[in-house]
Amino acid sequence: LTALCGVGFMNWSTENRADKLWVPQNTIAETETQEFQSYYQSTSRFNDVIVRASSDSSSVLTKAALLDAMIMHQFIETKEVKVEDETYTFTSLCTKFGGSCASDNKFDGVCSCFILSILKMWDYDLVTLLNDDDVISTLNGYGKREDLEAVLGKPVFDENDYLLSAEAFKISYLIEDRSAEAGSDEAGTEADPINEAWEEEAFLATVESVPTDFPSINVDYFAGRSFSDEFGGAITGDLLLVQISYAVVFIFLGANLGNFKCGTGSRWTMSLAALVTVVLSVGAGFGISSALGFFFGPVHSLLPFILLGIGVDDAFVIVNAFNRERKVSRSSESNADITKRAARALARAGASITVTSATDLVAFSISASSSLPALASFCAYAAIGIFFLWLFASTFFTATLVIDERRQRDNRRECLCFLTRKDPIKDDSDGFKEGFLSRYFRNYHAPAILSKVGKGVVILLYSGLLAFGIWGALNLSVEDTQRSFIPNDSYLTGYLNTADEYYPSTGISLYFVFENGSEIYEKRDELAGLNTRLTGLSEAAPFIAEPVSQEAYRNVMTGLYSYLKENGSNDVGGVTLGDDFWPTTEADFLTTLFQFASYEGPGRDYASDLSLSSDFTTLEAFRVKLEYVKLTKPEGNNVIDDSDKQIEAMDKTRELLKGWDDLPAERFPYSEKFIAIEGFKAIRKELFLNVGLALLAVSIIVFITVASPITSILITVNVAFCIIEILGFMHVLGIAIDSVSVINIVLAVGLSIDYSAHVGHCFMMKGGDDKNSRALEALADIGAAVMNGALTTFLAVVVLLFSSSYVFVTLAIQFALTVGLGVTHGLILLPVLLSLLGPKAFSSAELPMEESSSTDKEITFEQNP
């Protein structure tokens, strides 16, 4: 069956693009992005170096430091990289901009590339820098104080705004995105093999050699491939921990399904069978999911582990029921007797695992309709995998259990089952006897929590826990945790921390795009004066930075107007100007604008902001470059993005631009970050909507399968309390609402329902009128299986707490919370609620104990606190 389902792998597809994983589709931001890219198709990959002096307290603007930085740059610029027999250098890959050098007559070579750095003052030429006797004087020609503050870290000026020193400066390299040429869109990735090779072999290789080759400077750096390298490295580096967790589960299964020591009663082969059951389920589930068109994303790699946690729980429940159905010694059972015992066990345990599997399946199926593609696909994979897990547990695992029981009856060895042991079988003539855990639940645990004092303590304790959970859930915030995916010892963490220290005002880039050339000419005065409207918007939403530098405000209309007013039009077309210093006709305006903003013109810095028709005669649109202030906040020792402020900034920006009715009618804002911010807006809603719908669906399934309204309500309420408390602990532990934690909360609904559903179903199978006795018998019966399943999952996730991957650590913490709170709710709170509010047993329930025994039990409850 698994092989047949594996045919679906022919339709296997992967998706690694963040905007296709964690962002709701068909949003306003997606429309804005598509419209923006229709005008500005060329996107760039960003590579950045922050240069500091090797001595932390000294200025980096020394001749020695600048020379080392220039030599480093020339290595980056000239390094040749081969990809598929083609040779590439920076100048052949760079985003063409023109005018990157200080000299007005240089537009070829590196000067044609988009580079942002103070090194442009020497035309990126080492000899020119060597011949400069006063580098500080040269740097003061870079521009106004605001322009220098945008590229320098902690600059120092005198009272006349003359630059004296600075602790850092940046060199930013932009190379043209070539992912489309590699077919990455069709493959669902952001792979760009040519640029990635240059970044690794030229850029990263050079900056990594700085400590040994350039002693007067220190650098922190970022490459276009850095995030995927570091995040992928963290995941790959911790795969050993995943293997260890599987080994731990195997050992725990072998030790608790039977005797730890090989011999009579040992079940190591069944431990292996349980893992094979999970593997078969993963294979079949992945095959069917692929056949149905669901993509496989980065977080999907957690699914085998998730299914392992659910699968071992089913294994313990089945084996527990199978053991309890043995009433005679093994040696006296025939093959038919063992088969009948397996049938009775499935009648007993099958209903229980069907309830939990159905609730898990429905919980994940509900979330498969999420607007977040990664969450929807993940939950679809999980739901299909759970179905096969139930199917193989009920068939394959049970069949292997019967075969293993025959092996034990015949006193054969486990791995070499064709060999018979010499020592005679050690057997219990009286059949099944309760183990340590079952005796603990019967003699200590149940009497303690079911006494009057015990019930009061339990209700009081869990009421306080619920109140804590509500408080924490209400204070839980949505955060951009992108930095958390990067290991603390990564060079990328160092770069981000240095950027925060030296460039705190650098925020998210923002563009206002205006369409329709004719209307742009009509509204020329309003467009040229946009800077006056943008002043004073930095302290409150929309948090747009003050338009005081070229980095924070770049508007070709403002630049053109200032140029024409000061210099006239002689060098940009020589057209007639009116009294308002504008060309008098639209045609003259376009001629002047095109010449001014050409790569050879005086306004070459604005060249990339114009979108022209294919014949270069019509202005289709232009963009105004703006910037938000730094929308971050401190979180412990780290600085993280403030998602609430970012959402507020995006919404207010759209509202602001829409309200300017005197501007061209066809206008819209754009920021590359808007796509992610739309995800922030949706993710909180997704969390509570998916959890709420999952709980509703689970309650319906429990009602149908348990067939008792009161028990169903108690199970659902118990699980709801557990989820609320998990959210509360997430707030205290600093786990924000993000893409990873939302998936784990959906998993928590599925996992925590298992513990309660097993106990609730078992309670309904215990006959008698004494609810205390029924709750005790249920705990003695199913408690050990539930506890073993929970411990297995917990032991596996404990290993992942040592991971350096944010995904694994977050999974481990939330799994530990789910297991800890889920099992305690199922084994402590639910039995108390059932003893107080539980309904009558099923008509087919097991016969109660003798009346005298029940009375004795009742007296025990009253006396044992």
Side-chain angles (χ1 to χ4, degrees):
L1 179 59
T2 300
L4 182 63
C5 294
V7 175
F9 282 103
M10 297 176 64
N11 195 40
W12 178 264
S13 64
T14 60
E15 183 60 74
N16 291 315
R17 293 169 294 179
D19 60 316
K20 300 296 182 184
L21 288 169
W22 307 115
V23 179
Q25 304 300 289
N26 304 316
T27 60
I28 297 174
E30 187 175 13
T31 302
E32 292 168 347
T33 300
Q34 291 171 352
E35 204 166 348
F36 183 85
Q37 291 178 348
S38 70
Y39 292 122
Y40 305 98
Q41 295 181 0
S42 178
T43 56
S44 299
R45 291 171 67 96
F46 183 72
N47 299 267
D48 195 41
V49 186
I50 299 176
V51 182
R52 295 174 288 121
S54 55
S55 174
D56 293 338
S57 60
S58 63
S59 171
V60 74
L61 303 182
T62 63
K63 187 76 170 284
L66 290 169
L67 284 171
D68 269 355
M70 185 69 82
I71 297 171
M72 177 191 71
H73 157 76
Q74 292 195 335
F75 282 173
I76 293 172
E77 176 192 336
T78 59
K79 174 72 174 178
E80 293 184 347
V81 175
K82 274 198 170 185
V83 181
E84 296 181 355
D85 298 326
E86 292 288 333
T87 301
Y88 301 92
T89 63
F90 171 69
T91 52
S92 64
L93 297 175
C94 68
T95 299
K96 302 302 179 184
F97 180 72
S100 289
C101 295
S103 300
D104 291 335
N105 59 347
K106 288 197 173 183
F107 301 101
D108 57 353
V110 71
C111 294
S112 68
C113 293
F114 199 157
I115 308 179
L116 300 173
S117 173
I118 58 173
L119 296 182
K120 77 176 224 177
M121 300 306 297
W122 298 278
D123 295 336
Y124 298 99
D125 181 69
L126 181 62
V127 175
T128 304
L129 175 58
L130 280 168
N131 293 330
D132 190 342
D133 295 328
D134 190 351
V135 293
I136 295 295
S137 177
T138 301
L139 286 171
N140 274 281
Y142 184 88
K144 297 180 296 183
R145 173 173 178 157
E146 292 81 4
D147 296 322
L148 284 165
E149 286 176 333
V151 294
L152 297 176
K154 297 184 180 180
V156 177
F157 299 86
D158 67 11
E159 65 276 5
N160 297 316
D161 287 343
Y162 187 84
L163 176 67
L164 300 176
S165 65
E167 292 186 22
F169 68 87
K170 291 200 295 186
I171 312 175
S172 302
Y173 301 90
L174 281 80
I175 55 178
E176 218 170 288
D177 191 316
R178 289 170 172 78
S179 57
E181 299 173 21
S184 297
D185 285 345
E186 293 79 5
T189 70
E190 295 176 331
D192 190 346
I194 295 174
N195 285 330
E196 288 173 0
W198 179 84
E199 288 168 351
E200 180 180 11
E201 299 176 34
F203 180 77
L204 289 174
T206 300
V207 294
E208 286 169 357
S209 70
V210 165
T212 55
D213 295 346
F214 307 101
S216 64
I217 59 174
N218 289 328
V219 296
D220 293 284
Y221 47 90
F222 169 86
R225 61 178 294 154
S226 293
F227 186 78
S228 59
D229 281 352
E230 295 302 288
F231 174 54
I235 290 286
T236 305
D238 289 327
L239 288 180
L240 176 62
L241 292 178
V242 179
Q243 297 169 16
I244 292 173
S245 70
Y246 268 78
V248 170
V249 169
F250 173 75
I251 294 171
F252 188 81
L253 276 168
N256 288 276
L257 289 179
N259 295 332
F260 183 81
K261 183 180 179 181
C262 289
T264 303
S266 64
R267 283 197 172 117
W268 287 100
T269 49
M270 291 311 304
S271 177
L272 180 62
L275 296 184
V276 172
T277 301
V278 175
V279 171
L280 291 175
S281 304
V282 170
F286 280 24
I288 294 298
S289 299
S290 299
L292 294 176
F294 294 106
F295 65 77
F296 187 90
V299 76
H300 288 54
S301 58
L302 298 174
L303 277 168
F305 181 79
I306 305 303
L307 295 177
L308 176 67
I310 298 172
V312 295
D313 181 55
D314 290 347
F316 276 119
V317 171
I318 291 172
V319 171
N320 177 68
F322 187 70
N323 288 341
R324 285 181 172 273
E325 288 298 327
R326 186 166 67 87
K327 309 300 182 183
V328 296
S329 63
R330 280 195 174 97
S331 57
S332 63
E333 285 186 309
S334 65
N335 288 351
D337 292 333
I338 295 174
T339 302
K340 289 177 181 178
R341 174 150 67 98
R344 294 194 304 272
L346 271 186
R348 177 194 187 103
S352 186
I353 67 169
T354 299
V355 170
T356 56
S357 297
T359 52
D360 289 342
L361 190 151
V362 170
F364 285 116
S365 297
I366 289 292
S367 296
S369 62
S370 169
S371 63
L372 298 176
L375 177 59
S377 177
F378 179 91
C379 290
Y381 266 80
I384 295 169
I386 286 168
F387 168 75
F388 282 106
L389 199 58
W390 169 81
L391 180 64
F392 287 127
S394 303
T395 54
F396 171 80
F397 181 78
T398 305
T400 57
L401 183 60
V402 169
I403 294 172
D404 184 73
E405 190 69 7
R406 293 176 181 174
R407 174 196 64 78
Q408 294 203 55
R409 178 200 61 191
D410 296 338
N411 200 22
R412 296 184 180 275
R413 298 185 180 277
E414 291 206 66
C415 296
L416 303 174
C417 56
F418 55 88
L419 297 177
T420 303
R421 293 189 181 92
K422 294 180 179 179
D423 296 332
I425 188 171
K426 299 176 183 178
D427 205 354
D428 294 320
S429 59
D430 297 333
F432 170 77
K433 288 185 178 180
E434 288 184 344
F436 169 77
L437 273 180
S438 294
R439 293 195 302 272
Y440 159 76
F441 280 109
R442 179 182 296 280
N443 299 325
Y444 302 101
H445 180 89
I449 65 171
L450 295 176
S451 67
K452 286 184 177 181
V453 174
K455 291 176 183 178
V457 170
V458 167
I459 292 174
L460 184 63
L461 174 64
Y462 280 90
S463 296
L465 201 55
L466 176 62
F468 162 79
I470 293 172
W471 167 80
L474 292 175
N475 287 281
L476 201 59
S477 60
V478 178
E479 303 294 352
D480 180 3
T481 53
Q482 185 179 29
R483 291 193 182 189
S484 300
F485 288 85
I486 306 166
N488 290 330
D489 59 351
S490 165
Y491 71 84
L492 194 50
T493 300
Y495 168 82
L496 294 172
N497 292 337
T498 301
D500 288 335
E501 179 183 356
Y502 289 105
Y503 300 94
S505 62
T506 303
I508 301 166
S509 295
L510 170 68
Y511 295 93
F512 286 170
V513 181
F514 299 95
E515 304 167 278
N516 189 334
S518 297
E519 199 171 3
I520 289 170
Y521 175 66
E522 292 173 10
K523 307 289 186 180
R524 56 193 180 276
D525 285 320
E526 291 84 354
L527 291 169
L530 273 180
N531 55 321
T532 59
R533 305 184 188 209
L534 295 166
T535 301
L537 299 178
S538 59
E539 296 298 323
F543 304 108
I544 296 175
E546 299 298 325
V548 294
S549 70
Q550 190 82 344
E551 291 293 318
Y553 177 74
R554 189 178 71 232
N555 183 351
V556 66
M557 297 296 286
T558 303
L560 176 61
Y561 179 75
S562 298
Y563 179 85
L564 293 176
K565 187 175 181 180
E566 183 177 342
N567 302 293
S569 64
N570 290 336
D571 295 332
V572 288
V575 302
T576 302
L577 301 180
D579 294 337
D580 58 358
F581 301 105
W582 287 107
T584 55
T585 67
E586 181 183 343
D588 286 348
F589 165 74
L590 292 177
T591 299
T592 304
L593 178 65
F594 294 169
Q595 292 199 27
F596 170 75
S598 67
Y599 287 121
E600 294 80 19
R604 55 182 173 268
D605 289 348
Y606 305 103
S608 62
D609 294 330
L610 302 182
S611 177
L612 309 180
S613 60
S614 56
D615 58 1
F616 300 100
T617 60
T618 305
L619 177 64
E620 294 185 342
F622 86 95
R623 66 187 182 185
V624 177
K625 163 69 168 60
L626 306 170
E627 192 173 76
Y628 288 114
V629 298
K630 198 78 170 179
L631 300 175
T632 59
K633 64 181 180 181
E635 183 74 22
N637 296 324
N638 300 318
V639 176
I640 64 172
D641 285 351
D642 190 331
S643 60
D644 290 332
K645 272 192 174 181
Q646 291 178 359
I647 293 170
E648 193 178 358
M650 179 182 71
D651 291 343
K652 191 66 176 179
T653 297
R654 288 171 176 162
E655 181 184 329
L656 180 74
L657 188 57
K658 184 179 180 181
W660 288 341
D661 295 329
D662 56 337
L663 298 180
E666 298 180 41
R667 61 189 185 276
F668 64 91
Y670 166 78
S671 173
E672 186 178 13
K673 187 74 172 181
F674 279 180
I675 290 259
I677 296 174
E678 292 277 12
F680 299 156
K681 285 185 69 174
I683 202 162
R684 180 189 290 273
K685 175 185 174 184
E686 286 290 322
L687 171 63
F688 293 106
L689 179 64
N690 280 287
V691 170
L693 289 175
L695 284 172
L696 177 62
V698 160
S699 67
I700 295 172
I701 294 297
V702 170
F703 175 76
I704 293 172
T705 52
V706 174
S708 168
I710 295 176
T711 304
S712 301
I713 292 171
L714 292 177
I715 291 173
T716 304
V717 169
N718 199 44
V719 172
F721 287 179
C722 181
I723 298 301
I724 292 171
E725 290 155 19
I726 291 173
L727 294 174
F729 276 103
M730 283 174 56
H731 171 67
V732 172
L733 295 172
I735 300 175
I737 301 175
D738 66 1
S739 51
V740 176
S741 62
V742 166
I743 285 179
N744 289 336
I745 283 295
V746 174
L747 293 176
V749 176
L751 288 174
S752 57
I753 192 70
D754 290 1
Y755 307 123
S756 294
H758 285 312
V759 174
H761 181 267
C762 193
F763 176 81
M764 295 303 297
M765 295 298 295
K766 301 301 179 182
D769 297 325
D770 187 346
K771 296 175 185 177
N772 282 335
S773 293
R774 291 171 58 201
L776 181 146
E777 290 299 327
L779 286 172
D781 186 336
I782 202 70
V786 171
M787 180 63 79
N788 280 327
L791 285 174
T792 306
T793 306
F794 179 76
L795 287 174
V797 299
V798 163
V799 176
L800 300 183
L801 288 172
F802 298 96
S803 168
S804 61
S805 163
Y806 171 74
V807 173
F808 283 159
V809 171
T810 304
L811 171 76
I813 293 172
Q814 289 188 270
F815 248 51
L817 287 174
T818 301
V819 171
L821 291 171
V823 77
T824 54
H825 276 71
L827 297 179
I828 298 176
L829 180 60
L830 184 59
V832 170
L833 295 177
L834 289 170
S835 71
L836 295 172
L837 306 172
K840 293 182 177 180
F842 292 146
S843 58
S844 58
E846 297 175 2
L847 293 176
M849 298 177 66
E850 295 294 328
E851 188 65 26
S852 59
S853 299
S854 296
T855 304
D856 292 340
K857 289 275 191 305
E858 201 166 344
I859 293 172
T860 303
F861 298 142
E862 298 294 332
Q863 293 178 343
N864 289 342

